[in-house]
């Protein structure tokens, strides 16, 4: 980005650490079941809408997700924002009948030569004030260096490269259906046209329609739950990823899971998800899952 543009555009730091207005969402059996079906989730309780798949937690907070960026970033930079990382911290699963209240705030950012990392914290509670989950979203503003670091960034969940010397405790192969993005868009409430319109996607410099990052994350979540948590979402304490490369409809994915550590009744797993037909290109990196003992 040009030096003049860098000089003209500034972040509004007064918007940092300021909660957005609250958004409300009522959870239904039908919406949970639709989300599970849209992500090919095989877990029976999810498919029946008895309990939410873990990544469904993004749906009630979706309206709160971009507002913190709007409060801090110049409007000219909003089209440059991409979703870099997602980190869920679960207190309990979401269930039908929950009436949820969500809000968000940008907690910090860091200027880098090729862009700026910015961290958003989201909070989801019941109307009675019970904390259901907290989420940290790392966004990346492509091509704009804010020129400083301020506040705090999202918690770390870096993959330990030494794990590659070990055999994974589990691997799961999954297929992305040709209509996956259309089903996911409806179930999640994410209408972004790069996931639905071939021409719009190509005009944006993409090879065609791409899969929502959070849809890919949902695939990895049920891979982890089925392999190392007995398909019990209530045991999942934390689930975090970094979105590395785009996934396309028709792709075959493989999620590889390693045991990282165990302490105080919680086992931590690291994982990565690759595109099998593309030289094992990593679509998801820095995956982390914390699982309570049964």
């Amino acid at each position: 980005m040009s030096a003049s543009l860098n000089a003209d555009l500034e972040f509004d730091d007064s918007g940092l650490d300021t909660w957005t207005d609250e958004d409300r969402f009522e959870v239904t059996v039908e919406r949970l079941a639709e989300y599970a079906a849209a992500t090919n989730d095989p877990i029976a309780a999810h498919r029946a809408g008895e309990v939410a798949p873990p990544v469904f937690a993004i749906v009630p907070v979706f309206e709160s997700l971009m507002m913190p960026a709007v409060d801090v970033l110049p409007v000219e930079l909003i089209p440059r924002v991409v979703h870099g990382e997602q980190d869920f911290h679960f207190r309990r699963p979401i269930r039908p009948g929950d009436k949820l209240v969500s809000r968000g705030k940008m907690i910090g950012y860091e200027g880098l030569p090729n862009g700026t990392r910015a961290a958003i914290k989201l909070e989801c509670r019941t109307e009675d004030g019970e904390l259901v989950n907290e989420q940290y979203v790392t966004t990346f503003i492509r091509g704009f260096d804010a020129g400083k670091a301020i506040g705090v960034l999202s918690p770390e969940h870096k993959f330990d490269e030494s794990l590659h010397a070990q055999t994974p405790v589990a691997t799961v192969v999954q297929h992305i259906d040709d209509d996956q993005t259309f089903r996911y868009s409806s179930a999640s409430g994410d209408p972004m046209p790069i996931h639905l319109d071939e021409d719009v996607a190509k005009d944006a410099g993409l090879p065609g329609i791409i899969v929502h990052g959070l849809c890919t994350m949902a695939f990895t979540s049920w891979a982890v739950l089925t392999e190392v948590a007995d398909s019990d979402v209530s045991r999942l304490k934390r689930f975090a990823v970094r979105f590395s490369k785009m996934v396309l409809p028709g792709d075959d994915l493989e999620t590889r899971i390693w045991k990282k550590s165990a302490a105080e009744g919680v086992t931590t797993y690291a994982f990565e998800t690759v595109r099998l037909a593309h030289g094992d290109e990593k679509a998801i990196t820095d995956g982390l899952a914390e699982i309570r003992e049964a």
Side-chain angles (χ1 to χ4, degrees), residues 208-266:
I209 287 172
I210 65 170
V211 177
H212 305 70
L214 287 158
C215 180
T216 303
M217 188 180 187
F219 270 70
T220 66
S221 73
W222 62 254
V224 169
L225 287 177
T226 55
E227 292 298 319
V228 298
D230 296 322
S231 297
D232 185 355
V233 69
S234 69
R235 293 174 57 191
L236 186 61
K237 282 174 53 68
R238 183 182 178 191
F239 196 71
V241 303
R242 182 170 74 86
F243 302 110
S244 182
K245 297 291 184 180
M246 68 185 74
V247 172
L248 305 181
D251 275 353
D252 289 310
L253 307 178
E254 183 174 85
T255 296
R256 300 163 183 171
I257 306 164
W258 290 263
K259 184 176 178 179
K260 186 176 180 181
S261 62
E264 300 179 349
V266 175

Side-chain angles (χ1 to χ4, degrees), residues 139 159 193 196 283:
T139 61
F159 187 89
L196 304 170

